[in-house]
Amino acid sequence: MNIDIERSNLVGLGRAELAAVLAEFGAEPFRTRQLWHWIYHRGATDFAVMTNLAKGFRERLAERFILGRPEVAMAQASRDGTRKWLLRFADGQEVETVHIPEEDRGTLCVSSQVGCTLTCRFCHTGTQRLVRNLGAAEIVGQVMLARDALGEWPSPKEDRQLTNIVLMGMGEPLYNFDSVAAAMKIVMDPEGLAISRRKITLSTAGVVPMIARCGSELGVNLAISLHAVRDDVRDVLVPLNKKYKIAELLDACRVYPGSSNARRITFEYVMLKGVNDSPADARELVRLVKGIPAKVNLIPFNPWPGAPYECSSDAAIAAFSDIVFAAGYSAPVRTPRGRDILAACGQLKSASVKARRGERVPETVTV
Ligand code: SAH
């Protein structure tokens, strides 16, 4: 966020918090709705544009508050249209946010923590030590910044470039649930950013005790980073599995509020050569998710320097997908997007830090 020692940021406050701050400031209650509209529907970054507020009131607001955004430390665009922003917060910590345009939608991949504590063996972000949780303002700030960059204010009703949000960036969102929830409530508010809970997907490595709350308090779509069908394999790939076993994780999915055949739980499965990609693994996956409204997302492993794994062959991925598909589940292979700017799954942050230190990186277009 913009560094301003005198003035505080209104972006990131929920409705009740905004009302409380404005009440303390001496503003009438109806001002909350007006400000909310300007901040989250119109994307105002300056009080001066709020023409339905008296000039004197705008000036007083500007003396006391800001409408801040995260600072963009680096912006890149991939040849495939994917965009990535390295954002720097007031304390110098950084995270990445990625926008992935598709024919019929545009997805923003949002980070929830600086770094990650989970140390999944195949994930580059996991090699960084966690520095800290993001606050609600820093999470909402990623969405606001993307809207700024896409020129998408006021919040359009249709033909949006930013239609969906996935909490699949850096960090484990269920280890920072309070801030993630506060941020998503702001994002979902129909009088603001207005991105429906049906268009938001939270991805977790399996923090079982938090899954029910995620469903009841937010009602967003759930994605599970499963990646293995046996506990001994998953213990190595996703060490959190030592705490919450596959059976327990799937039980939490079975009772996830709001899931149905129309709103399926996504099981993400990274394809690692010779580790988890056999036809027997595929059959076991089908057996495990039986009874859960599920879809499977196969993710070709994105390599990074020093990674202890290789991506499965195209033939192995196709065979795996066919088995899952034949059992009645959709099993698309996720096309890696933005690999040339290190924006693909598991490539975030540590890579761009290396890039700035002058190590060799693929050609990029800086925008
Ligand atoms: N901590 C949460 C949110 C991160 S989501 C979670 O684990 O779900 C990021 C997704 O990318 C996860 O499914 C993760 O397992 C996957 N991923 C991480 N590293 C990857 C890599 N090198 N190649 C492909 N997918 C990867």
Side-chain angles (χ1 to χ4, degrees):
M1 295 294 136
N2 303 8
I3 303 176
D4 202 311
I5 34 172
E6 310 270 290
R7 299 179 296 168
S8 66
N9 194 5
L10 293 183
V11 177
L13 300 183
R15 266 185 196 262
E17 291 166 311
L18 181 63
V21 166
L22 290 175
E24 209 200 322
F25 181 67
E28 307 92 315
F30 73 92
R31 297 290 184 200
T32 304
R33 195 159 174 210
Q34 286 181 320
L35 264 296
W36 186 271
H37 177 87
W38 280 110
I39 299 170
Y40 296 118
H41 179 73
R42 306 285 288 259
T45 52
D46 190 340
F47 294 100
V49 302
M50 303 182 179
T51 43
N52 61 344
L53 308 184
K55 194 153 178 286
F57 181 56
R58 283 184 259 157
E59 284 166 3
R60 282 209 302 126
L61 284 168
E63 280 162 20
R64 178 72 187 75
F65 303 111
I66 55 165
L67 301 168
R69 297 287 194 267
E71 180 196 335
V72 179
M74 180 158 63
Q76 291 171 282
S78 160
R79 264 163 259 148
D80 69 15
T82 301
R83 295 173 73 172
K84 182 173 81 167
W85 298 279
L86 177 68
L87 304 179
R88 186 178 299 143
F89 300 114
D91 63 354
Q93 296 298 348
E94 295 172 333
V95 298
E96 289 181 328
T97 307
V98 178
H99 179 257
I100 307 140
E102 287 173 89
E103 282 279 298
D104 54 342
R105 63 180 171 183
T107 303
L108 191 70
C109 181
V110 170
S111 294
S112 57
Q113 297 180 310
V114 175
C116 190
T117 53
L118 293 176
T119 64
C120 297
R121 279 301 297 277
F122 53 88
C123 180
H124 205 183
T125 307
T127 61
Q128 253 186 281
R129 81 192 161 85
L130 167 75
V131 185
R132 66 173 174 83
N133 281 335
L134 295 186
E138 294 167 330
I139 298 169
V140 178
Q142 296 173 57
V143 182
M144 307 281 279
L145 189 277
R147 278 277 185 83
D148 292 345
L150 296 167
E152 203 148 66
W153 300 112
S155 292
K157 279 223 161 17
E158 45 206 38
D159 294 332
R160 292 180 176 183
Q161 298 175 76
L162 199 176
T163 54
N164 292 55
I165 289 181
V166 291
L167 285 151
M168 293 187 187
M170 296 163 60
E172 169 49 52
L174 294 188
Y175 273 165
N176 185 20
F177 185 71
D178 289 344
S179 295
V180 166
M184 289 306 115
K185 283 176 189 165
I186 293 172
V187 165
M188 293 190 280
D189 189 292
E191 291 179 3
L193 293 157
I195 297 172
S196 146
R197 65 190 170 84
R198 292 172 185 281
K199 305 267 183 196
I200 300 175
T201 301
L202 183 147
S203 179
T204 179
V207 186
V208 169
M210 297 304 293
I211 289 179
R213 259 186 83 189
C214 175
S216 59
E217 278 181 41
L218 293 179
V220 295
N221 303 311
L222 185 65
I224 301 286
S225 291
L226 190 64
H227 306 319
V229 292
R230 293 197 339 242
D231 281 321
D232 59 338
V233 179
R234 196 166 190 268
D235 282 349
V236 175
L237 296 181
V238 183
L240 183 65
N241 195 69
K242 293 186 205 144
K243 213 162 171 183
Y244 309 112
K245 298 288 173 203
I246 293 173
E248 227 184 305
L249 177 56
L250 295 177
D251 282 345
C253 293
R254 277 196 183 85
V255 297
Y256 187 68
S259 68
S260 65
N261 282 338
R263 288 190 80 202
R264 293 166 188 271
I265 294 175
T266 304
F267 289 91
E268 298 161 276
Y269 199 96
V270 63
M271 299 300 295
L272 303 171
K273 184 180 265 174
V275 175
N276 63 358
D277 62 349
S278 71
D281 289 317
R283 286 191 292 270
E284 179 61 6
L285 175 60
V286 168
R287 199 189 65 78
L288 283 176
V289 300
K290 197 161 192 267
I292 302 175
K295 55 186 175 192
V296 173
N297 213 321
L298 301 177
I299 316 176
F301 171 65
N302 289 309
W304 38 273
Y309 301 107
E310 274 177 76
C311 185
S312 308
S313 67
D314 289 349
I317 297 177
F320 197 105
S321 171
D322 286 348
I323 292 170
V324 178
F325 185 74
Y329 299 95
S330 103
V333 180
R334 190 184 287 178
T335 321
R337 297 288 304 265
R339 264 186 180 171
D340 57 337
I341 55 167
L342 298 165
C345 305
Q347 294 187 313
L348 295 188
K349 177 64 197 266
S350 14
S352 50
V353 169
K354 289 208 175 78
R356 281 186 306 159
R357 287 195 203 117
E359 291 171 32
R360 204 193 75 84
V361 284
E363 172 200 334
T364 58
V365 192
T366 303
V367 290

